[in-house]
Amino acid sequence: RAYVKADSTRILFDYADILCYDNDGTPTTQTWSGHTYPFITTTNYGDASIGHISSTGAIRLAKAQWWMLARIAGWDGVIE
């Protein structure tokens, strides 16, 4: 994140941040050794047969990718 933040032309596609939110928008966290951090929700977590991401998580990532690429292409983000 610091690397991307250092140059405004860089873009971060934060895979982990996208997958830590559940369908209702609630973030999931875990705590380890006194540190709390975002963690993938059970809704977004699949099994090894599909790369550890559920179908819901894959769709969430695809939508985020589409949004990011549309913004790069010049879309202003307004849905009419």
Side-chain angles (χ1 to χ4, degrees):
R1 290 182 181 201
Y3 173 79
V4 172
K5 199 173 197 177
D7 183 343
S8 64
T9 64
R10 297 176 184 151
I11 297 169
L12 175 65
F13 187 79
D14 196 338
Y15 197 93
D17 187 56
I18 294 164
L19 295 176
C20 76
Y21 288 91
D22 216 337
N23 291 337
D24 65 0
T26 305
T28 300
T29 60
Q30 276 198 347
T31 302
W32 180 78
S33 190
H35 301 282
T36 300
Y37 56 94
F39 193 77
I40 189 169
T41 69
T42 54
T43 302
N44 295 325
Y45 189 76
D47 61 30
S49 69
I50 55 173
H52 303 291
I53 303 300
S54 70
S55 296
T56 302
I59 290 170
R60 183 166 280 119
L61 288 169
K63 287 179 178 181
Q65 179 87 20
W66 182 94
W67 185 90
M68 180 186 71
L69 293 173
R71 293 301 303 261
I72 290 169
W75 178 52
D76 64 4
V78 176
I79 299 173
E80 298 177 11

